[in-house]
């Protein structure tokens, strides 16, 4: 049973390649973003109200390889999400009551994010936050197979960004 009074706990693992002039965002910034967003979204998936997310900042070369391998798209993309909850694995209630629920991996190409930020004329940090929010929504089951669902997801991203 969900414990709504349990404090939200988020473990975020941030890893990045040598990416040159990536903004000097400390891990705590990403942790704060994701924790804030999960608090607002209140997914009620973990009886502990504890979640784990992996975030990797990379370049176009690596994300293109992942995009090719997993989506059969032979081009770089801005963000990929690999949702752990999409794979039905048996997890015992005892285990869920003892450790954070692993939501999955978010991978962001800083190269693509940089180009998109320049095109939109806003800071790279804003673009990285936008992509992290998009990735998190995918981990929580949001998808955009059509224009209507894309609009809803983009509106939710805007809402999340106003929180940080």
């Amino acid at each position: 049973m969900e414990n709504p009074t349990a404090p939200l706990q988020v473990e975020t693992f941030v890893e990045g390649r040598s990416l040159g002039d990536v903004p000097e965002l400390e891990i705590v910034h990403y942790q704060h973003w994701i924790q804030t967003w999960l608090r607002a979204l209140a997914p009620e998936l973990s009886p502990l109200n504890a979640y784990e997310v992996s975030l990797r900042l990379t370049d176009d070369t690596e994300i293109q390889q992942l995009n090719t391998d997993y989506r059969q798209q032979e081009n770089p993309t801005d963000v990929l999400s690999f949702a752990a909850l999409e794979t039905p694995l048996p997890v015992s209630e005892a285990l869920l009551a003892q450790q954070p629920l692993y939501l999955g991996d978010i991978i962001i190409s800083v190269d693509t994010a940089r180009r998109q930020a320049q095109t939109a004329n806003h800071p790279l940090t804003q673009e990285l936050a936008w992509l992290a929010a998009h990735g998190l929504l995918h981990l929580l089951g949001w998808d955009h197979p059509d224009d209507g669902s894309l609009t809803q997801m983009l509106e939710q991203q805007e809402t999340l960004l106003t929180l940080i």
Side-chain angles (χ1 to χ4, degrees):
M1 173 167 278
E2 177 67 25
N3 181 356
T5 61
L8 178 69
Q9 174 190 347
V10 178
E11 293 181 21
T12 308
F13 300 96
V14 180
E15 179 181 43
R17 299 175 61 131
S18 177
L19 299 168
D21 62 343
V22 174
E24 293 298 321
L25 289 175
E26 296 180 18
I27 291 173
V28 293
H29 289 103
Y30 291 101
Q31 289 172 330
H32 170 72
W33 294 350
I34 292 171
Q35 186 172 31
T36 299
W37 297 334
L38 283 170
R39 184 172 286 115
L41 294 167
E44 297 186 14
L45 299 170
S46 164
L48 294 176
N49 202 24
Y51 300 94
E52 183 178 318
V53 174
S54 172
L55 174 64
R56 180 167 176 83
L57 301 177
T58 192
D59 57 22
D60 276 352
T61 302
E62 183 178 37
I63 208 161
Q64 179 173 339
Q65 186 62 55
L66 292 168
N67 207 21
T68 300
D69 292 348
Y70 293 98
R71 297 181 62 231
Q72 293 69 53
Q73 303 280 327
E74 295 187 18
N75 55 309
T77 189
D78 51 5
V79 62
L80 291 172
S81 296
F82 297 96
L85 301 178
E86 287 181 0
T87 306
L89 295 174
V91 179
S92 73
E93 291 296 320
L95 187 61
L96 284 174
Q98 295 174 13
Q99 63 185 33
L101 177 64
Y102 180 62
L103 296 176
D105 304 322
I106 303 168
I107 302 161
I108 298 173
S109 171
V110 176
D111 294 339
T112 300
R114 186 177 291 114
R115 286 191 304 276
Q116 291 175 175
Q118 288 171 346
T119 299
N121 198 29
H122 59 241
L124 177 57
T125 303
Q126 182 178 340
E127 187 69 21
L128 292 170
W130 174 262
L131 295 173
H134 188 86
L136 180 63
L137 289 173
H138 275 301
L139 295 186
L140 294 173
W142 288 68
D143 203 2
H144 45 84
D146 55 55
D147 289 342
S149 57
L150 176 61
T151 299
Q152 288 178 332
M153 191 167 177
L154 296 177
E155 288 172 356
Q156 184 64 58
Q157 278 177 249
E158 285 291 341
T159 300
L160 294 177
L161 288 181
T162 64
L163 299 174
I164 59 166

Short mmCIF file of all heavy atoms in Angstrom, two decimals, residues 17 56-67 80 107:
data_model
loop_
_atom_site.label_atom_id
_atom_site.label_comp_id
_atom_site.label_asym_id
_atom_site.label_seq_id
_atom_site.Cartn_x
_atom_site.Cartn_y
_atom_site.Cartn_z
N ARG A 17 30.09 12.15 -20.66
CA ARG A 17 31.35 12.04 -21.38
C ARG A 17 32.05 13.39 -21.36
O ARG A 17 31.50 14.36 -20.89
CB ARG A 17 31.06 11.62 -22.81
CG ARG A 17 30.37 10.26 -22.88
CD ARG A 17 29.99 9.91 -24.28
NE ARG A 17 31.17 9.84 -25.12
CZ ARG A 17 31.45 8.84 -25.93
NH1 ARG A 17 30.65 7.83 -26.00
NH2 ARG A 17 32.53 8.85 -26.67
N ARG A 56 22.32 10.13 -18.29
CA ARG A 56 23.62 10.17 -18.96
C ARG A 56 23.63 11.31 -19.96
O ARG A 56 22.75 11.40 -20.82
CB ARG A 56 23.91 8.87 -19.67
CG ARG A 56 25.27 8.87 -20.38
CD ARG A 56 25.66 7.48 -20.82
NE ARG A 56 26.89 7.46 -21.58
CZ ARG A 56 28.11 7.46 -21.05
NH1 ARG A 56 28.26 7.51 -19.75
NH2 ARG A 56 29.18 7.42 -21.82
N LEU A 57 24.62 12.19 -19.83
CA LEU A 57 24.83 13.25 -20.80
C LEU A 57 25.92 12.77 -21.75
O LEU A 57 26.99 12.37 -21.31
CB LEU A 57 25.27 14.54 -20.09
CG LEU A 57 24.31 15.08 -19.04
CD1 LEU A 57 24.89 16.31 -18.38
CD2 LEU A 57 22.95 15.37 -19.64
N THR A 58 25.63 12.80 -23.03
CA THR A 58 26.55 12.23 -24.01
C THR A 58 26.64 13.11 -25.24
O THR A 58 26.19 14.25 -25.23
CB THR A 58 26.13 10.78 -24.36
OG1 THR A 58 27.18 10.16 -25.09
CG2 THR A 58 24.83 10.73 -25.14
N ASP A 59 27.22 12.57 -26.30
CA ASP A 59 27.37 13.31 -27.54
C ASP A 59 26.57 12.65 -28.66
O ASP A 59 25.95 11.60 -28.46
CB ASP A 59 28.85 13.43 -27.93
CG ASP A 59 29.54 12.09 -28.08
OD1 ASP A 59 28.86 11.06 -28.30
OD2 ASP A 59 30.77 12.04 -27.98
N ASP A 60 26.56 13.28 -29.83
CA ASP A 60 25.78 12.75 -30.95
C ASP A 60 26.24 11.37 -31.41
O ASP A 60 25.43 10.55 -31.82
CB ASP A 60 25.83 13.72 -32.14
CG ASP A 60 24.80 14.83 -32.04
OD1 ASP A 60 23.95 14.79 -31.14
OD2 ASP A 60 24.86 15.75 -32.88
N THR A 61 27.54 11.11 -31.34
CA THR A 61 28.06 9.82 -31.79
C THR A 61 27.48 8.68 -30.96
O THR A 61 26.97 7.69 -31.51
CB THR A 61 29.61 9.79 -31.71
OG1 THR A 61 30.12 10.85 -32.52
CG2 THR A 61 30.15 8.46 -32.18
N GLU A 62 27.52 8.82 -29.65
CA GLU A 62 27.01 7.75 -28.79
C GLU A 62 25.49 7.62 -28.89
O GLU A 62 24.96 6.51 -28.98
CB GLU A 62 27.41 7.97 -27.34
CG GLU A 62 26.95 6.82 -26.44
CD GLU A 62 27.36 6.96 -25.00
OE1 GLU A 62 27.39 8.09 -24.47
OE2 GLU A 62 27.67 5.92 -24.39
N ILE A 63 24.78 8.74 -28.90
CA ILE A 63 23.32 8.64 -28.94
C ILE A 63 22.84 8.11 -30.29
O ILE A 63 21.84 7.41 -30.37
CB ILE A 63 22.63 9.95 -28.54
CG1 ILE A 63 21.25 9.63 -27.93
CG2 ILE A 63 22.50 10.92 -29.70
CD1 ILE A 63 20.65 10.71 -27.10
N GLN A 64 23.57 8.41 -31.36
CA GLN A 64 23.22 7.86 -32.67
C GLN A 64 23.37 6.34 -32.65
O GLN A 64 22.52 5.63 -33.19
CB GLN A 64 24.08 8.45 -33.78
CG GLN A 64 23.74 7.86 -35.15
CD GLN A 64 24.47 8.55 -36.29
OE1 GLN A 64 24.92 9.67 -36.16
NE2 GLN A 64 24.56 7.87 -37.41
N GLN A 65 24.42 5.84 -32.02
CA GLN A 65 24.60 4.39 -31.94
C GLN A 65 23.47 3.75 -31.14
O GLN A 65 22.91 2.72 -31.54
CB GLN A 65 25.96 4.04 -31.31
CG GLN A 65 26.27 2.56 -31.34
CD GLN A 65 26.36 2.01 -32.75
OE1 GLN A 65 27.13 2.52 -33.56
NE2 GLN A 65 25.57 1.00 -33.05
N LEU A 66 23.10 4.36 -30.04
CA LEU A 66 21.98 3.84 -29.24
C LEU A 66 20.67 3.92 -30.01
O LEU A 66 19.86 2.99 -29.97
CB LEU A 66 21.87 4.62 -27.92
CG LEU A 66 23.01 4.41 -26.94
CD1 LEU A 66 22.94 5.44 -25.82
CD2 LEU A 66 23.00 2.99 -26.39
N ASN A 67 20.46 5.01 -30.72
CA ASN A 67 19.25 5.19 -31.51
C ASN A 67 19.17 4.13 -32.61
O ASN A 67 18.10 3.60 -32.91
CB ASN A 67 19.23 6.60 -32.10
CG ASN A 67 17.84 7.12 -32.37
OD1 ASN A 67 16.86 6.65 -31.81
ND2 ASN A 67 17.75 8.12 -33.22
N LEU A 80 16.84 9.98 -25.32
CA LEU A 80 16.31 8.62 -25.33
C LEU A 80 15.96 8.24 -23.90
O LEU A 80 16.65 8.64 -22.96
CB LEU A 80 17.35 7.62 -25.86
CG LEU A 80 17.70 7.70 -27.34
CD1 LEU A 80 18.88 6.78 -27.64
CD2 LEU A 80 16.51 7.34 -28.20
N ILE A 107 18.95 9.40 -21.50
CA ILE A 107 20.21 9.71 -22.16
C ILE A 107 19.97 10.94 -23.04
O ILE A 107 19.07 10.95 -23.87
CB ILE A 107 20.71 8.53 -23.00
CG1 ILE A 107 20.86 7.30 -22.09
CG2 ILE A 107 22.02 8.86 -23.70
CD1 ILE A 107 20.89 6.00 -22.79
#
